[in-house]
Amino acid sequence: MPPETPPHANDRLDDDDYPAYTMGRAAEMIGATPGFLRAIGEARLITPLRSEGGHRRYSRYQLRIAARARELVDGGTPIESACRIVILEDQLEEALRLNEELRGPTPARDGDG
């Protein structure tokens, strides 16, 4: 029989916040350069975790944020402005999610139109 995989190891595969990607792989995945990732890190858009050896590691969530910033920069938006826009978009999305959660299910309306 093969050895059992620790339960938490499989959970990491589905964890959007698990820092699974190296800088080189992360840059490749979003079509950017490592310098771009460093720049958005300096602008505090994302803060990669560090491996024991000090290497930057990125999560899928961070890569989605970085990819959005890259879209804006590719469209001509200065990097500092792109980072601010992405932060505000992320905050708005979270606020809308919380509002929906607090409202709960919407009761069915009879005849209201």
Side-chain angles (χ1 to χ4, degrees):
M1 281 185 113
E4 286 189 32
T5 305
H8 66 280
N10 288 334
D11 294 343
R12 290 180 182 168
L13 297 175
D14 295 326
D15 185 354
D16 264 1
D17 295 317
Y18 182 70
Y21 304 99
T22 63
M23 177 180 273
R25 180 69 179 126
E28 178 184 313
M29 289 174 70
I30 66 166
T33 63
F36 176 80
L37 290 174
R38 280 190 289 276
I40 62 174
E42 289 170 9
R44 294 198 159 135
L45 178 61
I46 58 175
T47 303
L49 286 156
R50 299 282 182 151
S51 68
E52 288 182 21
H55 299 282
R56 291 174 178 89
R57 304 285 293 192
Y58 298 88
S59 68
R60 287 187 300 195
Y61 172 75
Q62 289 173 323
L63 293 184
R64 283 195 301 275
I65 296 285
R68 176 65 181 130
R70 190 185 142 266
E71 288 174 10
L72 291 167
V73 169
D74 287 352
T77 304
I79 197 163
E80 297 82 12
S81 299
C83 290
R84 184 68 181 138
I85 289 167
V86 173
I87 289 167
L88 291 170
E89 287 175 342
D90 195 50
Q91 289 172 344
L92 175 60
E93 184 179 316
E94 179 66 9
L96 292 172
R97 186 192 65 75
L98 286 172
N99 280 341
E100 196 63 32
E101 186 178 299
L102 291 171
R103 282 191 192 123
T106 306
R109 295 182 179 197
D110 294 326
D112 286 347

